Amino acid sequence: MKPDLILVNGQFTTLDRSNPAAQAVAIKDNVFFAVGTEQEVLEFKGEHTRVIDLGGRRVIPGLIDSHQHLIRGGLNYNMELRWDGVTSLADAMSMLKRQVEHTPAPQWVRVVGGFTEHQFAEKRLPTIDELNAIAPDTPVFILHLYDRAILNRAALRVAGYTKDTPNPPGGEIQRDVNGNPTGLLLAQPNATILYATLAKGPKLPLEYQLNSTRHFMRELNRLGITGVIDAGGGSQNYPDDYEVIEKLAANGELTVRIAYNLFTQHPGAELDDFKGWVQSVTPGDGDSYYRHNGAGEMLVYSAADFEDFRVPRPEMPQNMEQELEPVIRVLAENRWPWRLHATYDETISRALDVYEKVNKDIPFDGLHWFFDHAETISQRNIDRIAALGGGIAIQHRMAYQGEYFVERYGAKAAEETPPIVKMLEAGVPVGAGTDATRVASYNPWVALSWLVTGQTLGGLNLYPRRNCVDREQALRLWTKANAWFSGEEGKKGQIKKGQYADLAVLSDDYFKLPENEIKQIESVLTVVGGKIVYGTDHFESLAPPLPAAMPDWSPVREFGGYQRANTAMQNKVFSSLCGCARQCNLHGHAHASAYSEAVSADNQKGFWGAFGCSCWV
């Protein structure tokens, strides 16, 4: 009974109120074996126990995202240029230009969500003329939130949009005075046109999708994420589009624990989808790394109120209740947990009418069901959810589009969007997440910063302090609280004996760092089930190697994922020293930490070259 791994000299925030802080942990067989002082834990050390000194760093339970689209996102990650974290449009366009130079025909350059124009110093999106100048021949597709996509001429051509193409239901192809598409696609009011256009682009072959998903998981591990509840997604068909994740699970290659929900794919035939699925899969099927979690976030298409605060609130069709009720009955009868996307209080009211009706006939009795998002939910509906035993999963979408909400509804209306503190006071289970990868970024520290500060990425003070939570509560919403949403209470979310040994050692002390720097935190060592899945700095040699991103033109090879705060500095350095204006994300962290040591241009050149940067090849 000797542990496999012991971590010492850490500041462990356990979130276990009976043992809130510790100096060391021991891990054996996927779970925490002991949590306490160094003296207590080291008594369990055996001949083959590995001991790692954490150098006094802050350690937290592994972060769990209550709402993400990892399975779909992993299939595409290696094809996507991420503007997540980029602070100026000039830098973003520099990245885009470089990627256009690398991307072979017939591939597209895609920037698919995870950013907002408000994060840029210029406070705007690129123009279509700017895209055409950078990429006259390579298709470029840029998705901004749920509201629009910007395409250059080459992308319009390969997507088949012409003067004669009609507007699809719920979308608009913006046209010039002659009726020709300009390159701007608008969600009016739903995102179907945006995603249907994106689906026209080439896909990666299976081998590359396996590689892509592994790189996406490693990126999540870099940020301290060890668990995700996958909310399905449009065009994410079951079981066909789950082949990649199931292969990785079968091979023991998952580095993020995934609980997945099934998202209906057939408007008008949603009931048939769920009637078939309840016969073939049962919630809880799988293991601690990959398990089925129930239905949603789409249950019926008539209940989908996509958030786009640039347009008026969509009114759900009259047949919403008629279509939703039989689906809820099937789920309740078969004890399937479910989740439902709902932005607006009006949608939630109508859904709760259905839930309360079904509950009278088929008592939910502890069945875990919940609403996602709930930005404008009322106190009355919070209380109704509490009475029925449901939960609410919140995401930081307002950090990306709070300015649009204020513009339409006013600052006062935006003060509780969503009313997080009122939810907690009502005793409703509340968990936090991102809704990544297309609406917001997958970076949990941006979400944690939003919970604590109430600020958008554009710097708008959206919430008064009464609707913000303290740092410990925010962390609980990202760890222990989210175990409820996957039916794994007591199994994960804390650093506690017997729970899954998932943790993150942080680059900075979350509890001491200034509030405006929380979103810059990363993990330097991430452990899932007692296995090291990510390491950097002096922990880098402990992490298993990852094959290079495939294909060889992948944006991941050059730019990585979420951009660090020093991106602008790196661009300036590379531009002045070698004229290529490229970034080296692989070595960026090491560059930034040692940059002050490089004094003259000659010394800088030798410094960067010592890291093997391809800029110097």
Side-chain angles (χ1 to χ4, degrees), residues 301-316:
Y301 279 80
S302 56
D305 65 347
F306 291 103
E307 92 294 344
D308 179 359
F309 301 128
R310 285 184 162 180
V311 299
R313 175 183 63 84
E315 191 68 49
M316 297 299 95

Side-chain angles (χ1 to χ4, degrees), residues 77 214-223 442 561-562:
Y77 178 70
R214 291 185 64 191
H215 274 271
F216 186 36
M217 290 190 295
R218 180 65 67 95
E219 169 73 352
L220 298 179
N221 296 152
R222 178 175 76 89
L223 297 167
Y442 50 77
Y562 192 93

Side-chain angles (χ1 to χ4, degrees), residues 298-444:
M298 186 77 77
L299 298 178
V300 293
Y301 279 80
S302 56
D305 65 347
F306 291 103
E307 92 294 344
D308 179 359
F309 301 128
R310 285 184 162 180
V311 299
R313 175 183 63 84
E315 191 68 49
M316 297 299 95
Q318 291 184 351
N319 64 339
M320 170 186 157
E321 289 87 348
Q322 180 182 351
E323 294 186 352
L324 182 60
E325 182 181 333
V327 170
I328 298 301
R329 288 187 179 276
V330 166
L331 298 176
E333 287 170 350
N334 289 276
R335 304 300 296 170
W336 263 49
W338 71 85
R339 63 193 307 164
L340 180 65
H341 167 112
T343 301
Y344 298 99
D345 189 55
E346 292 82 354
T347 308
I348 294 170
S349 288
R350 293 176 63 180
L352 284 171
D353 290 344
V354 172
Y355 294 0
E356 289 166 347
K357 180 180 178 182
V358 174
N359 181 63
K360 290 179 181 178
D361 300 330
I362 312 168
F364 295 167
D365 285 343
L367 190 62
H368 288 201
W369 61 270
F370 55 97
F371 287 104
D372 281 299
H373 316 312
E375 277 86 356
T376 71
I377 191 171
S378 64
Q379 183 67 59
R380 176 176 178 269
N381 282 336
I382 292 172
D383 293 339
R384 292 171 74 189
I385 292 170
L388 275 178
I392 304 173
I394 59 171
Q395 295 78 39
H396 67 319
R397 305 189 308 181
M398 289 294 289
Y400 290 79
Q401 48 192 319
E403 287 85 353
Y404 301 139
F405 190 97
V406 170
E407 183 179 346
R408 177 166 293 278
Y409 299 108
K412 186 67 176 177
E415 288 183 352
E416 295 181 322
T417 51
I420 301 165
V421 173
K422 288 181 179 178
M423 295 173 181
L424 294 168
E425 289 174 348
V428 173
V430 178
T434 62
D435 200 7
T437 58
R438 295 178 176 178
V439 178
S441 177
Y442 50 77
N443 189 337

Side-chain angles (χ1 to χ4, degrees), residues 121-406:
E122 299 88 341
K123 303 298 182 185
R124 70 174 181 90
L125 295 172
T127 67
I128 295 169
D129 287 342
E130 287 171 333
L131 295 187
N132 287 328
I134 284 177
D137 302 311
T138 302
V140 173
F141 177 99
I142 296 176
L143 176 69
H144 181 253
L145 306 173
Y146 265 154
D147 64 29
R148 64 194 54 213
I150 309 173
L151 285 68
N152 66 348
R153 277 191 296 266
L156 284 174
R157 184 171 58 251
V158 299
Y161 290 133
T162 69
K163 186 175 183 178
D164 300 322
T165 305
N167 285 336
E172 177 187 341
I173 303 170
Q174 192 179 77
R175 303 171 193 273
D176 62 20
V177 294
N178 297 315
N180 296 307
T182 63
L184 182 61
L185 307 180
L186 298 174
Q188 299 282 12
N190 67 59
T192 302
I193 185 175
L194 312 181
Y195 291 165
T197 304
L198 180 59
K200 294 174 182 288
K203 293 181 172 59
L204 293 174
L206 177 63
E207 180 185 3
Y208 289 14
Q209 289 179 335
L210 289 163
N211 176 280
S212 178
T213 301
R214 291 185 64 191
H215 274 271
F216 186 36
M217 290 190 295
R218 180 65 67 95
E219 169 73 352
L220 298 179
N221 296 152
R222 178 175 76 89
L223 297 167
I225 293 178
T226 61
V228 159
I229 306 176
D230 189 281
S235 304
Q236 185 65 27
N237 292 290
Y238 181 83
D240 296 350
D241 292 320
Y242 288 69
E243 179 184 6
V244 167
I245 204 71
E246 289 183 354
K247 280 182 179 291
L248 292 172
N251 293 336
E253 293 180 302
L254 295 184
T255 63
V256 175
R257 299 185 192 274
I258 302 171
Y260 66 94
N261 286 71
L262 293 184
F263 181 115
T264 186
Q265 296 295 319
H266 303 98
E270 298 96 333
L271 181 59
D272 292 336
D273 275 346
F274 290 113
K275 280 184 174 179
W277 287 337
V278 297
Q279 300 300 318
S280 61
V281 62
T282 301
D285 282 355
D287 58 25
S288 66
Y289 278 86
Y290 182 68
R291 63 195 302 274
H292 177 50
N293 196 52
E297 63 180 298
M298 186 77 77
L299 298 178
V300 293
Y301 279 80
S302 56
D305 65 347
F306 291 103
E307 92 294 344
D308 179 359
F309 301 128
R310 285 184 162 180
V311 299
R313 175 183 63 84
E315 191 68 49
M316 297 299 95
Q318 291 184 351
N319 64 339
M320 170 186 157
E321 289 87 348
Q322 180 182 351
E323 294 186 352
L324 182 60
E325 182 181 333
V327 170
I328 298 301
R329 288 187 179 276
V330 166
L331 298 176
E333 287 170 350
N334 289 276
R335 304 300 296 170
W336 263 49
W338 71 85
R339 63 193 307 164
L340 180 65
H341 167 112
T343 301
Y344 298 99
D345 189 55
E346 292 82 354
T347 308
I348 294 170
S349 288
R350 293 176 63 180
L352 284 171
D353 290 344
V354 172
Y355 294 0
E356 289 166 347
K357 180 180 178 182
V358 174
N359 181 63
K360 290 179 181 178
D361 300 330
I362 312 168
F364 295 167
D365 285 343
L367 190 62
H368 288 201
W369 61 270
F370 55 97
F371 287 104
D372 281 299
H373 316 312
E375 277 86 356
T376 71
I377 191 171
S378 64
Q379 183 67 59
R380 176 176 178 269
N381 282 336
I382 292 172
D383 293 339
R384 292 171 74 189
I385 292 170
L388 275 178
I392 304 173
I394 59 171
Q395 295 78 39
H396 67 319
R397 305 189 308 181
M398 289 294 289
Y400 290 79
Q401 48 192 319
E403 287 85 353
Y404 301 139
F405 190 97
V406 170

Side-chain angles (χ1 to χ4, degrees), residues 515-537:
E515 282 187 351
N516 63 351
E517 296 180 22
I518 289 175
K519 58 180 173 288
Q520 299 176 18
I521 295 175
E522 301 176 7
S523 176
V524 296
L525 180 70
T526 305
V527 174
V528 179
K531 298 178 181 178
I532 296 170
V533 296
Y534 175 78
T536 190
D537 291 346

